Amino acid sequence: MRFIHAADIHLDSPLTGLSAYPDAPAQMLRSATRDAFTKLVNEAIDLQVDFVVIAGDLYDGGWKDHNTGIFFCREMGRLKKAGIRAYVKFGNHDAESEMTKKLVLPDNVYTFESRKAHTFVIDGLKVALHGRSFKDAATTENLAQTYPDPLPGMFNIGVLHTALGVHSTHANYAPCTIDELHAKGYQYWALGHVHEYQVWQGASTIVFPGNLQGRHIRETGPRGAVLVTADETGVQKVERLFVDVLRWHAVNVDAAPCNSMAEVVHAINKELEAVLASTPSGMPSAVRITISGKTPVHGELFGMEAQLRAEVLASAAALGADRLWIEKVKTATTASDEPDAIRARGDALADLQAFFEDAQGDPEFLASLKTDLMALVAKAPLELQNAVPYFRDIRNGELAKLVGGVRPGLMSQLARME
């Protein structure tokens, strides 16, 4: 038999990070999670799988637009016509959703109740699916402990929404351990909640399929579900099914060999070409570019993020037209000139550096600087305040950090101008 295991659909969750840009693919950002789910249903029908398991977070929290639920029912109707059942466990985001409580789903959709763990049996396949939905979003009970013993002679699947105690970046809902799941005696654990693909083999096969569609720059790379092939002896194969419709990439560009902004842009172009080459034809990519390294061009880049982004946007338009979208361009370079080299010059530039070094430890100067700069911060528009990290340092009174951060770039730029 074969089944698809998916999780963390987050239907109609917005993709974030691109919508502020006038060149962003607005319609694609709005419909990406739906489009990915439609592709998943297409795969299920084309592959003629026996059933589909959704391990939580079908919806995206407190959404009240029933069009989201109507869309899900329509896609489940397509599965019903193909003779495919779906088994759905509600996770922490579903527990907050109005649709979870009110919509009547097609009769090929089986949902796990939240009062206690229970089992669905597919007699013809000798499959038993055990699960328990979240009643409350912040479910901190170990739900796995409440799951029933495996049914003899059956292929037992545990459907569980959990951080598994190994993912500090995810809320530790329904906590349990890998050893605990192996000890349960099920052949397969269909997990959800963690958005990264992971597999553990052993007494059981334990799988996080990841989410269907990356929604922001922290969810880079291919996304989708898994296709599981099994027989009476157990799991034979776990294959990834990629159904994402827009892919996020975090690209680091080493500016150490560069001697001008033009060379930096050329290096970025090469990385963008690599992104296009590694992405399926026709799939758009959202890219964050971080320029790093100890480089002589640090001074030229200092304060030039807007100009640099314009250069990169032009490059992306020439390379990829509708396939490349620049989420952000960040500079994280450091000056290649050492402070000792400038200090040894004994000229005005060395005097300026000495002033900066003294200023970092001068409380009176820093207090005066904060007073002057707060007038600028107070008048700056909100989007500028959010875009410039130094503004947060000014508000927090971390002026020594600001002076220390500005010094290398300014000194490098002045040295180049000289």
Short mmCIF file of all heavy atoms in Angstrom, two decimals, residues 18-75:
data_model
loop_
_atom_site.label_atom_id
_atom_site.label_comp_id
_atom_site.label_asym_id
_atom_site.label_seq_id
_atom_site.Cartn_x
_atom_site.Cartn_y
_atom_site.Cartn_z
N LEU A 18 7.98 39.77 1.35
CA LEU A 18 8.04 40.31 0.00
C LEU A 18 6.95 41.33 -0.27
O LEU A 18 7.08 42.15 -1.17
CB LEU A 18 7.90 39.17 -1.03
CG LEU A 18 9.14 38.31 -1.26
CD1 LEU A 18 8.78 37.13 -2.14
CD2 LEU A 18 10.24 39.10 -1.92
N SER A 19 5.87 41.29 0.48
CA SER A 19 4.70 42.09 0.14
C SER A 19 4.95 43.59 0.22
O SER A 19 4.22 44.37 -0.36
CB SER A 19 3.53 41.72 1.07
OG SER A 19 3.90 41.88 2.42
N ALA A 20 6.00 44.01 0.93
CA ALA A 20 6.29 45.44 1.04
C ALA A 20 6.91 46.00 -0.23
O ALA A 20 6.99 47.22 -0.40
CB ALA A 20 7.22 45.70 2.21
N TYR A 21 7.36 45.14 -1.12
CA TYR A 21 8.06 45.60 -2.31
C TYR A 21 7.09 45.71 -3.49
O TYR A 21 6.30 44.80 -3.74
CB TYR A 21 9.19 44.65 -2.68
CG TYR A 21 10.25 44.52 -1.61
CD1 TYR A 21 10.87 43.31 -1.35
CD2 TYR A 21 10.62 45.62 -0.83
CE1 TYR A 21 11.84 43.19 -0.36
CE2 TYR A 21 11.58 45.50 0.15
CZ TYR A 21 12.19 44.29 0.38
OH TYR A 21 13.13 44.18 1.35
N PRO A 22 7.14 46.81 -4.25
CA PRO A 22 6.21 46.98 -5.37
C PRO A 22 6.40 45.94 -6.47
O PRO A 22 5.49 45.70 -7.25
CB PRO A 22 6.53 48.39 -5.89
CG PRO A 22 7.92 48.68 -5.40
CD PRO A 22 8.03 47.97 -4.09
N ASP A 23 7.57 45.30 -6.53
CA ASP A 23 7.81 44.31 -7.57
C ASP A 23 7.49 42.89 -7.10
O ASP A 23 7.78 41.92 -7.79
CB ASP A 23 9.27 44.38 -8.04
CG ASP A 23 10.27 44.24 -6.89
OD1 ASP A 23 9.85 44.42 -5.73
OD2 ASP A 23 11.44 43.96 -7.16
N ALA A 24 6.90 42.75 -5.91
CA ALA A 24 6.63 41.43 -5.37
C ALA A 24 5.47 40.76 -6.11
O ALA A 24 4.55 41.43 -6.59
CB ALA A 24 6.30 41.53 -3.89
N PRO A 25 5.47 39.42 -6.19
CA PRO A 25 4.39 38.68 -6.85
C PRO A 25 3.18 38.56 -5.94
O PRO A 25 2.94 37.53 -5.31
CB PRO A 25 5.02 37.31 -7.12
CG PRO A 25 6.03 37.15 -6.02
CD PRO A 25 6.54 38.53 -5.71
N ALA A 26 2.38 39.62 -5.86
CA ALA A 26 1.32 39.72 -4.85
C ALA A 26 0.33 38.57 -4.92
O ALA A 26 -0.02 37.98 -3.90
CB ALA A 26 0.60 41.06 -5.01
N GLN A 27 -0.16 38.23 -6.10
CA GLN A 27 -1.15 37.17 -6.22
C GLN A 27 -0.57 35.83 -5.78
O GLN A 27 -1.23 35.04 -5.10
CB GLN A 27 -1.65 37.07 -7.67
CG GLN A 27 -2.69 35.97 -7.89
CD GLN A 27 -3.89 36.09 -6.95
OE1 GLN A 27 -4.39 37.19 -6.68
NE2 GLN A 27 -4.35 34.96 -6.42
N MET A 28 0.67 35.58 -6.14
CA MET A 28 1.30 34.32 -5.74
C MET A 28 1.48 34.26 -4.23
O MET A 28 1.31 33.20 -3.62
CB MET A 28 2.65 34.16 -6.43
CG MET A 28 3.38 32.87 -6.08
SD MET A 28 4.78 32.58 -7.14
CE MET A 28 3.93 32.26 -8.68
N LEU A 29 1.79 35.38 -3.60
CA LEU A 29 1.95 35.41 -2.15
C LEU A 29 0.63 35.09 -1.46
O LEU A 29 0.60 34.45 -0.41
CB LEU A 29 2.46 36.76 -1.69
CG LEU A 29 3.85 37.18 -2.18
CD1 LEU A 29 4.21 38.55 -1.63
CD2 LEU A 29 4.89 36.17 -1.76
N ARG A 30 -0.46 35.54 -2.04
CA ARG A 30 -1.77 35.30 -1.43
C ARG A 30 -2.22 33.85 -1.57
O ARG A 30 -2.86 33.30 -0.69
CB ARG A 30 -2.82 36.23 -2.05
CG ARG A 30 -2.75 37.67 -1.56
CD ARG A 30 -3.99 38.44 -1.96
NE ARG A 30 -4.10 38.57 -3.40
CZ ARG A 30 -3.63 39.62 -4.09
NH1 ARG A 30 -3.00 40.59 -3.45
NH2 ARG A 30 -3.76 39.69 -5.39
N SER A 31 -1.91 33.22 -2.70
CA SER A 31 -2.49 31.91 -3.01
C SER A 31 -1.51 30.75 -2.88
O SER A 31 -1.87 29.62 -3.18
CB SER A 31 -3.06 31.93 -4.43
OG SER A 31 -2.03 32.10 -5.39
N ALA A 32 -0.28 31.00 -2.44
CA ALA A 32 0.75 29.96 -2.46
C ALA A 32 0.36 28.73 -1.66
O ALA A 32 0.56 27.59 -2.11
CB ALA A 32 2.08 30.53 -1.97
N THR A 33 -0.17 28.90 -0.44
CA THR A 33 -0.49 27.73 0.37
C THR A 33 -1.63 26.92 -0.25
O THR A 33 -1.62 25.68 -0.18
CB THR A 33 -0.86 28.14 1.82
OG1 THR A 33 -1.88 29.14 1.78
CG2 THR A 33 0.36 28.69 2.54
N ARG A 34 -2.59 27.59 -0.86
CA ARG A 34 -3.66 26.87 -1.56
C ARG A 34 -3.11 26.13 -2.78
O ARG A 34 -3.46 24.96 -3.03
CB ARG A 34 -4.75 27.84 -2.02
CG ARG A 34 -5.64 28.36 -0.93
CD ARG A 34 -6.89 29.00 -1.51
NE ARG A 34 -7.72 29.60 -0.48
CZ ARG A 34 -8.98 29.95 -0.67
NH1 ARG A 34 -9.54 29.79 -1.87
NH2 ARG A 34 -9.69 30.49 0.31
N ASP A 35 -2.27 26.81 -3.54
CA ASP A 35 -1.72 26.18 -4.75
C ASP A 35 -0.89 24.95 -4.40
O ASP A 35 -0.94 23.93 -5.10
CB ASP A 35 -0.86 27.19 -5.52
CG ASP A 35 -1.68 28.35 -6.07
OD1 ASP A 35 -2.91 28.20 -6.16
OD2 ASP A 35 -1.10 29.39 -6.39
N ALA A 36 -0.12 25.03 -3.31
CA ALA A 36 0.68 23.88 -2.88
C ALA A 36 -0.23 22.73 -2.46
O ALA A 36 0.05 21.56 -2.77
CB ALA A 36 1.60 24.28 -1.73
N PHE A 37 -1.33 23.04 -1.78
CA PHE A 37 -2.24 21.98 -1.35
C PHE A 37 -2.94 21.33 -2.55
O PHE A 37 -3.13 20.11 -2.59
CB PHE A 37 -3.28 22.54 -0.38
CG PHE A 37 -4.10 21.48 0.29
CD1 PHE A 37 -3.53 20.60 1.19
CD2 PHE A 37 -5.44 21.35 0.01
CE1 PHE A 37 -4.28 19.60 1.81
CE2 PHE A 37 -6.21 20.37 0.61
CZ PHE A 37 -5.63 19.49 1.52
N THR A 38 -3.30 22.13 -3.53
CA THR A 38 -3.89 21.58 -4.75
C THR A 38 -2.92 20.63 -5.45
O THR A 38 -3.31 19.56 -5.94
CB THR A 38 -4.31 22.72 -5.70
OG1 THR A 38 -5.36 23.48 -5.09
CG2 THR A 38 -4.80 22.18 -7.04
N LYS A 39 -1.64 21.02 -5.48
CA LYS A 39 -0.63 20.12 -6.06
C LYS A 39 -0.53 18.82 -5.27
O LYS A 39 -0.32 17.75 -5.85
CB LYS A 39 0.74 20.82 -6.10
CG LYS A 39 0.87 21.88 -7.17
CD LYS A 39 2.26 22.51 -7.20
CE LYS A 39 3.33 21.53 -7.61
NZ LYS A 39 4.67 22.18 -7.72
N LEU A 40 -0.67 18.91 -3.94
CA LEU A 40 -0.63 17.70 -3.12
C LEU A 40 -1.79 16.76 -3.48
O LEU A 40 -1.60 15.55 -3.63
CB LEU A 40 -0.70 18.08 -1.64
CG LEU A 40 -0.67 16.89 -0.67
CD1 LEU A 40 0.73 16.30 -0.59
CD2 LEU A 40 -1.16 17.30 0.71
N VAL A 41 -2.98 17.33 -3.61
CA VAL A 41 -4.14 16.51 -3.98
C VAL A 41 -3.95 15.92 -5.37
O VAL A 41 -4.29 14.75 -5.62
CB VAL A 41 -5.43 17.35 -3.89
CG1 VAL A 41 -6.62 16.58 -4.45
CG2 VAL A 41 -5.70 17.74 -2.43
N ASN A 42 -3.40 16.71 -6.29
CA ASN A 42 -3.10 16.18 -7.63
C ASN A 42 -2.19 14.96 -7.55
O ASN A 42 -2.39 13.96 -8.25
CB ASN A 42 -2.43 17.25 -8.50
CG ASN A 42 -3.36 18.39 -8.86
OD1 ASN A 42 -4.59 18.28 -8.70
ND2 ASN A 42 -2.81 19.49 -9.32
N GLU A 43 -1.14 15.06 -6.71
CA GLU A 43 -0.21 13.94 -6.54
C GLU A 43 -0.93 12.71 -6.00
O GLU A 43 -0.70 11.58 -6.45
CB GLU A 43 0.93 14.33 -5.60
CG GLU A 43 1.90 15.34 -6.16
CD GLU A 43 2.94 14.69 -7.07
OE1 GLU A 43 2.84 13.47 -7.34
OE2 GLU A 43 3.86 15.39 -7.49
N ALA A 44 -1.79 12.91 -5.01
CA ALA A 44 -2.51 11.78 -4.41
C ALA A 44 -3.37 11.07 -5.45
O ALA A 44 -3.42 9.83 -5.49
CB ALA A 44 -3.38 12.28 -3.25
N ILE A 45 -4.03 11.85 -6.31
CA ILE A 45 -4.89 11.26 -7.34
C ILE A 45 -4.06 10.59 -8.42
O ILE A 45 -4.34 9.46 -8.84
CB ILE A 45 -5.81 12.35 -7.93
CG1 ILE A 45 -6.79 12.86 -6.85
CG2 ILE A 45 -6.56 11.81 -9.14
CD1 ILE A 45 -7.58 14.08 -7.25
N ASP A 46 -3.00 11.27 -8.88
CA ASP A 46 -2.16 10.70 -9.94
C ASP A 46 -1.48 9.41 -9.50
O ASP A 46 -1.33 8.47 -10.28
CB ASP A 46 -1.11 11.72 -10.39
CG ASP A 46 -1.72 12.92 -11.11
OD1 ASP A 46 -2.90 12.82 -11.53
OD2 ASP A 46 -1.03 13.95 -11.24
N LEU A 47 -1.05 9.38 -8.23
CA LEU A 47 -0.36 8.21 -7.71
C LEU A 47 -1.31 7.11 -7.24
O LEU A 47 -0.87 6.00 -6.92
CB LEU A 47 0.54 8.62 -6.53
CG LEU A 47 1.73 9.52 -6.86
CD1 LEU A 47 2.36 10.08 -5.59
CD2 LEU A 47 2.78 8.75 -7.67
N GLN A 48 -2.60 7.47 -7.19
CA GLN A 48 -3.64 6.51 -6.73
C GLN A 48 -3.27 5.93 -5.35
O GLN A 48 -3.30 4.71 -5.16
CB GLN A 48 -3.83 5.39 -7.76
CG GLN A 48 -4.35 5.89 -9.11
CD GLN A 48 -4.58 4.76 -10.10
OE1 GLN A 48 -3.72 3.90 -10.31
NE2 GLN A 48 -5.76 4.75 -10.71
N VAL A 49 -2.94 6.81 -4.43
CA VAL A 49 -2.59 6.35 -3.09
C VAL A 49 -3.82 5.81 -2.39
O VAL A 49 -4.97 6.10 -2.77
CB VAL A 49 -1.95 7.50 -2.25
CG1 VAL A 49 -0.66 7.98 -2.88
CG2 VAL A 49 -2.94 8.65 -2.06
N ASP A 50 -3.60 5.03 -1.35
CA ASP A 50 -4.72 4.42 -0.63
C ASP A 50 -5.40 5.40 0.32
O ASP A 50 -6.61 5.34 0.53
CB ASP A 50 -4.22 3.21 0.15
CG ASP A 50 -3.76 2.10 -0.79
OD1 ASP A 50 -4.62 1.48 -1.44
OD2 ASP A 50 -2.54 1.88 -0.90
N PHE A 51 -4.63 6.31 0.90
CA PHE A 51 -5.21 7.32 1.78
C PHE A 51 -4.19 8.43 2.01
O PHE A 51 -3.01 8.30 1.64
CB PHE A 51 -5.68 6.72 3.12
CG PHE A 51 -4.61 5.98 3.88
CD1 PHE A 51 -3.84 6.62 4.84
CD2 PHE A 51 -4.40 4.63 3.66
CE1 PHE A 51 -2.86 5.94 5.56
CE2 PHE A 51 -3.43 3.93 4.38
CZ PHE A 51 -2.66 4.60 5.32
N VAL A 52 -4.66 9.53 2.64
CA VAL A 52 -3.83 10.68 2.96
C VAL A 52 -3.94 10.96 4.46
O VAL A 52 -5.04 10.88 5.03
CB VAL A 52 -4.27 11.94 2.16
CG1 VAL A 52 -3.50 13.17 2.63
CG2 VAL A 52 -4.07 11.72 0.67
N VAL A 53 -2.80 11.25 5.09
CA VAL A 53 -2.78 11.62 6.51
C VAL A 53 -2.31 13.07 6.62
O VAL A 53 -1.29 13.45 6.04
CB VAL A 53 -1.82 10.71 7.31
CG1 VAL A 53 -1.74 11.17 8.77
CG2 VAL A 53 -2.24 9.27 7.22
N ILE A 54 -3.06 13.88 7.37
CA ILE A 54 -2.66 15.27 7.64
C ILE A 54 -2.46 15.39 9.15
O ILE A 54 -3.41 15.29 9.92
CB ILE A 54 -3.70 16.27 7.13
CG1 ILE A 54 -3.85 16.16 5.62
CG2 ILE A 54 -3.31 17.70 7.54
CD1 ILE A 54 -4.92 17.06 5.03
N ALA A 55 -1.20 15.61 9.56
CA ALA A 55 -0.84 15.55 10.98
C ALA A 55 -0.84 16.93 11.65
O ALA A 55 0.12 17.29 12.34
CB ALA A 55 0.51 14.87 11.14
N GLY A 56 -1.89 17.69 11.44
CA GLY A 56 -2.05 18.94 12.20
C GLY A 56 -1.72 20.21 11.45
O GLY A 56 -0.98 20.21 10.48
N ASP A 57 -2.31 21.30 11.95
CA ASP A 57 -2.15 22.65 11.40
C ASP A 57 -2.57 22.71 9.94
O ASP A 57 -1.86 23.22 9.08
CB ASP A 57 -0.73 23.18 11.60
CG ASP A 57 -0.46 23.57 13.05
OD1 ASP A 57 -1.39 23.47 13.87
OD2 ASP A 57 0.66 23.97 13.36
N LEU A 58 -3.76 22.19 9.70
CA LEU A 58 -4.38 22.34 8.38
C LEU A 58 -4.69 23.81 8.14
O LEU A 58 -4.42 24.35 7.07
CB LEU A 58 -5.66 21.51 8.33
CG LEU A 58 -6.59 21.75 7.14
CD1 LEU A 58 -5.90 21.40 5.84
CD2 LEU A 58 -7.89 20.97 7.32
N TYR A 59 -5.24 24.47 9.15
CA TYR A 59 -5.55 25.89 9.06
C TYR A 59 -4.45 26.70 9.74
O TYR A 59 -3.44 26.16 10.17
CB TYR A 59 -6.92 26.17 9.70
CG TYR A 59 -8.05 25.40 9.05
CD1 TYR A 59 -8.84 24.52 9.79
CD2 TYR A 59 -8.32 25.53 7.69
CE1 TYR A 59 -9.88 23.82 9.20
CE2 TYR A 59 -9.36 24.83 7.09
CZ TYR A 59 -10.13 23.97 7.85
OH TYR A 59 -11.15 23.26 7.26
N ASP A 60 -4.67 28.00 9.86
CA ASP A 60 -3.60 28.88 10.36
C ASP A 60 -4.09 29.77 11.49
O ASP A 60 -3.98 30.98 11.41
CB ASP A 60 -3.03 29.73 9.22
CG ASP A 60 -1.74 30.42 9.62
OD1 ASP A 60 -0.81 29.71 10.06
OD2 ASP A 60 -1.65 31.66 9.50
N GLY A 61 -4.63 29.14 12.51
CA GLY A 61 -5.03 29.93 13.67
C GLY A 61 -6.43 30.49 13.53
O GLY A 61 -7.31 29.87 12.93
N GLY A 62 -6.64 31.68 14.11
CA GLY A 62 -7.98 32.24 14.24
C GLY A 62 -8.56 32.83 12.99
O GLY A 62 -9.13 33.92 13.02
N TRP A 63 -8.45 32.14 11.85
CA TRP A 63 -9.07 32.63 10.62
C TRP A 63 -10.58 32.45 10.71
O TRP A 63 -11.07 31.41 11.10
CB TRP A 63 -8.52 31.88 9.42
CG TRP A 63 -7.09 32.19 9.12
CD1 TRP A 63 -5.99 31.59 9.65
CD2 TRP A 63 -6.61 33.20 8.24
NE1 TRP A 63 -4.85 32.15 9.15
CE2 TRP A 63 -5.19 33.14 8.28
CE3 TRP A 63 -7.21 34.15 7.41
CZ2 TRP A 63 -4.39 34.00 7.53
CZ3 TRP A 63 -6.42 34.99 6.66
CH2 TRP A 63 -5.03 34.92 6.74
N LYS A 64 -11.32 33.44 10.27
CA LYS A 64 -12.77 33.36 10.31
C LYS A 64 -13.38 33.38 8.92
O LYS A 64 -14.60 33.39 8.75
CB LYS A 64 -13.34 34.52 11.16
CG LYS A 64 -12.94 34.42 12.63
CD LYS A 64 -13.52 35.57 13.43
CE LYS A 64 -13.25 35.37 14.92
NZ LYS A 64 -11.84 35.30 15.25
N ASP A 65 -12.56 33.41 7.88
CA ASP A 65 -13.05 33.40 6.51
C ASP A 65 -13.37 31.97 6.11
O ASP A 65 -12.47 31.15 5.91
CB ASP A 65 -11.99 34.00 5.57
CG ASP A 65 -12.47 34.09 4.13
OD1 ASP A 65 -13.60 33.63 3.85
OD2 ASP A 65 -11.72 34.60 3.28
N HIS A 66 -14.63 31.65 5.98
CA HIS A 66 -15.02 30.28 5.68
C HIS A 66 -14.66 29.86 4.26
O HIS A 66 -14.76 28.68 3.92
CB HIS A 66 -16.52 30.09 5.93
CG HIS A 66 -16.83 29.87 7.39
ND1 HIS A 66 -16.73 30.88 8.32
CD2 HIS A 66 -17.19 28.76 8.07
CE1 HIS A 66 -17.05 30.41 9.52
NE2 HIS A 66 -17.34 29.13 9.40
N ASN A 67 -14.24 30.80 3.43
CA ASN A 67 -13.77 30.41 2.10
C ASN A 67 -12.56 29.47 2.20
O ASN A 67 -12.35 28.64 1.31
CB ASN A 67 -13.39 31.65 1.28
CG ASN A 67 -14.62 32.40 0.80
OD1 ASN A 67 -15.61 31.78 0.41
ND2 ASN A 67 -14.57 33.72 0.84
N THR A 68 -11.78 29.63 3.26
CA THR A 68 -10.64 28.72 3.48
C THR A 68 -11.14 27.29 3.67
O THR A 68 -10.63 26.35 3.05
CB THR A 68 -9.83 29.15 4.71
OG1 THR A 68 -9.44 30.52 4.57
CG2 THR A 68 -8.59 28.29 4.88
N GLY A 69 -12.14 27.13 4.53
CA GLY A 69 -12.70 25.81 4.76
C GLY A 69 -13.42 25.26 3.55
O GLY A 69 -13.37 24.05 3.27
N ILE A 70 -14.10 26.14 2.80
CA ILE A 70 -14.80 25.70 1.59
C ILE A 70 -13.79 25.19 0.56
O ILE A 70 -14.03 24.18 -0.11
CB ILE A 70 -15.65 26.86 1.03
CG1 ILE A 70 -16.81 27.16 1.98
CG2 ILE A 70 -16.17 26.52 -0.37
CD1 ILE A 70 -17.52 28.47 1.70
N PHE A 71 -12.65 25.87 0.46
CA PHE A 71 -11.60 25.41 -0.44
C PHE A 71 -11.13 24.02 -0.03
O PHE A 71 -10.96 23.12 -0.88
CB PHE A 71 -10.42 26.39 -0.43
CG PHE A 71 -9.16 25.84 -1.04
CD1 PHE A 71 -9.01 25.80 -2.41
CD2 PHE A 71 -8.14 25.34 -0.24
CE1 PHE A 71 -7.85 25.28 -2.98
CE2 PHE A 71 -6.98 24.81 -0.79
CZ PHE A 71 -6.84 24.79 -2.17
N PHE A 72 -10.91 23.79 1.26
CA PHE A 72 -10.47 22.48 1.73
C PHE A 72 -11.51 21.41 1.40
O PHE A 72 -11.16 20.32 0.93
CB PHE A 72 -10.21 22.52 3.24
CG PHE A 72 -9.87 21.19 3.82
CD1 PHE A 72 -8.68 20.56 3.51
CD2 PHE A 72 -10.76 20.54 4.68
CE1 PHE A 72 -8.35 19.32 4.04
CE2 PHE A 72 -10.44 19.30 5.22
CZ PHE A 72 -9.24 18.69 4.90
N CYS A 73 -12.79 21.71 1.62
CA CYS A 73 -13.84 20.74 1.30
C CYS A 73 -13.85 20.41 -0.19
O CYS A 73 -14.07 19.25 -0.57
CB CYS A 73 -15.20 21.30 1.73
SG CYS A 73 -15.44 21.36 3.53
N ARG A 74 -13.62 21.42 -1.03
CA ARG A 74 -13.59 21.17 -2.47
C ARG A 74 -12.46 20.22 -2.84
O ARG A 74 -12.64 19.29 -3.64
CB ARG A 74 -13.45 22.49 -3.23
CG ARG A 74 -13.51 22.31 -4.74
CD ARG A 74 -13.61 23.62 -5.47
NE ARG A 74 -12.40 24.41 -5.36
CZ ARG A 74 -12.32 25.60 -4.78
NH1 ARG A 74 -13.41 26.14 -4.22
NH2 ARG A 74 -11.18 26.25 -4.71
N GLU A 75 -11.29 20.43 -2.24
CA GLU A 75 -10.15 19.54 -2.54
C GLU A 75 -10.40 18.14 -2.00
O GLU A 75 -10.03 17.14 -2.64
CB GLU A 75 -8.87 20.12 -1.93
CG GLU A 75 -8.42 21.44 -2.56
CD GLU A 75 -8.16 21.31 -4.05
OE1 GLU A 75 -7.51 20.31 -4.46
OE2 GLU A 75 -8.61 22.18 -4.81
#
